[in-house]
Amino acid sequence: MLKQNLHTHTSYDHGKDTVEEMIQAALDQGFTTLGFSGHGTNKPLAPTSMSSENQLAYKQAIREAKEKYKDQIDLFMGIEQDSMAPFEDDELDYKIGSVHYMCKDGRVEPVDDNPKLFEQIRDEMYDGSIEKMVTAYYQSVEDMMDFQNFDIVGHIDLISKFNENEEYFGFEEPWYLEAAFHAIQKGIDQGLIFEMNTGAVARGNRKTAYPSDALLQYMADHNAMLVVDTDCHDRKYLDCLMDESIERARKAGFRHLMRLSKDGFVPEPIENFQKEARVLNPKRPAGTGLKRPYLR
Ligand SMILES: [Zn+2]
Ligand SMILES: [Zn+2]
């Protein structure tokens, strides 16, 4: 069985654990692939990002761990690159591109910090219009796709972090779907990979992974490439809601998930990431739509 997580943070940025602790947790939990994605240096804007010195130490720790654990787990050196601080580094195995900030008229604010600030951004920067704010968010995602290099679109739905119960907008609102679908289609056309991201679940803000059902369905219907990540800041939650999210992706119609290998990203049948499917019905071919005995 394959078990992968490519979105993890360590104490080099604002995670709780060392590289070593995260690897031990991954081994304990049966992971076969683990990628580190510390917040790339983005000071002073992002206090939680790595300092330049920490980024060097982070890379060195992962380099050493790759050698030490090469027979036990596939380790990868990534970065979560904020759209405000792009950079190139040939040594990285992959990059996650994420929009965390709203920028307008010289003002820059994080969209995912707390509901009060979220409302201030809406009211003070976007004339009280949630539609304007959300649309601007997805425009920033598209700008990042147009002008920056990365492999995985990080939590494309981050703008909905405080919207679990549709406090700010409906998940079926036409203007929301139009903006989000447009950004998703651009990512698909550019060959980018999307992630289901359970980070807001571990933090208690959401009950399900990003993205919302309609966005996930659009991705499935348009053959988007997908990974399932937990955006882990605490090794206790390294596989938080992972099995449930993979099953949600399968139900939406995904037949493959992308696995990071030494040769880059390769598609793997989604069943290979699902313990039950392999144990109870290992020969079931992908995509036949057959009912699974274990679900009855
Ligand atoms: Zn992020
Ligand atoms: Zn993250």
Side-chain angles (χ1 to χ4, degrees):
M1 183 193 156
L2 299 171
K3 193 165 175 179
Q4 167 181 270
N5 192 357
L6 298 177
H7 197 147
T8 63
H9 297 274
T10 67
S11 45
Y12 288 111
D13 53 23
H14 64 150
K16 282 206 170 125
D17 312 294
T18 62
V19 165
E20 182 72 27
E21 286 169 334
M22 198 63 96
I23 294 169
Q24 286 302 332
L27 290 171
D28 289 347
Q29 296 175 27
F31 278 88
T32 52
T33 302
L34 179 68
F36 292 94
S37 60
H39 288 288
T41 304
N42 184 16
K43 308 271 189 188
L45 180 61
T48 53
S49 68
M50 291 188 278
S51 64
S52 324
E53 303 80 55
N54 272 12
Q55 191 158 310
L56 290 174
Y58 161 86
K59 288 176 62 182
Q60 181 59 24
I62 297 169
R63 245 179 248 131
E64 287 168 10
K66 276 186 175 188
E67 180 58 28
K68 180 173 171 188
Y69 292 99
K70 64 176 185 244
D71 298 327
Q72 296 177 66
I73 186 168
D74 289 337
L75 297 176
F76 292 97
M77 184 195 292
I79 281 281
E80 183 175 11
Q81 170 179 286
D82 187 85
S83 58
M84 299 293 289
F87 67 99
E88 298 297 331
D89 180 342
D90 289 343
E91 192 186 357
L92 298 176
D93 297 310
Y94 68 104
K95 285 201 286 189
I96 297 174
S98 297
V99 176
H100 299 103
Y101 293 90
M102 304 296 305
C103 317
K104 189 161 175 276
D105 303 332
R107 184 169 169 188
V108 182
E109 299 284 2
V111 77
D112 60 339
D113 207 63
N114 65 76
K116 187 162 176 277
L117 181 55
F118 183 90
E119 289 170 19
Q120 279 173 351
I121 296 170
R122 177 196 61 193
D123 296 342
E124 295 166 18
M125 294 168 70
Y126 296 96
D127 312 322
S129 164
I130 189 68
E131 178 177 347
K132 277 190 196 169
M133 178 175 170
V134 173
T135 306
Y137 181 83
Y138 282 105
Q139 185 57 53
S140 298
V141 173
E142 291 199 27
D143 291 345
M144 175 177 77
M145 290 171 174
D146 278 336
F147 301 114
Q148 298 178 14
N149 286 324
F150 58 94
D151 305 283
I152 299 171
V153 185
H155 45 59
I156 194 164
D157 223 7
L158 185 68
I159 192 81
S160 69
K161 178 169 178 180
F162 306 117
N163 200 48
E164 171 71 22
N165 298 308
E166 303 187 321
E167 289 90 339
Y168 298 104
F169 60 92
F171 282 117
E172 300 291 330
E173 292 266 15
W175 57 261
Y176 162 67
L177 296 178
E178 189 186 329
F181 289 171
H182 198 272
I184 291 168
Q185 190 58 51
K186 175 166 282 208
I188 291 171
D189 293 344
Q190 294 190 3
L192 293 167
I193 297 167
F194 296 87
E195 69 169 2
M196 288 184 87
N197 178 314
T198 69
V201 180
R203 291 184 188 79
N205 293 108
R206 295 291 302 270
K207 294 198 170 61
T208 55
Y210 305 121
S212 61
D213 284 333
L215 274 54
L216 186 69
Q217 194 60 55
Y218 185 95
M219 291 173 185
D221 292 347
H222 294 78
N223 296 314
M225 293 185 282
L226 191 75
V227 291
V228 178
D229 291 334
T230 67
D231 204 345
C232 181
H233 292 69
D234 177 340
R235 66 190 192 274
K236 278 196 304 233
Y237 302 107
L238 189 58
D239 69 351
C240 173
L241 214 71
M242 192 162 243
D243 293 341
E244 294 85 347
S245 300
I246 292 172
E247 179 59 11
R248 209 179 126 213
R250 192 192 66 78
K251 281 191 179 144
F254 280 96
R255 292 292 166 262
H256 296 88
L257 294 178
M258 302 306 289
R259 177 174 67 86
L260 186 51
S261 75
K262 303 227 167 14
D263 301 317
F265 285 95
V266 291
E268 295 276 359
I270 196 166
E271 286 85 356
N272 293 357
F273 295 86
Q274 295 191 294
K275 191 166 30 185
E276 295 86 348
R278 285 170 65 81
V279 172
L280 291 169
N281 198 358
K283 291 209 174 114
R284 178 185 171 277
T288 57
L290 294 174
K291 265 197 182 163
R292 295 171 166 229
Y294 68 91
L295 285 178
R296 275 189 218 137

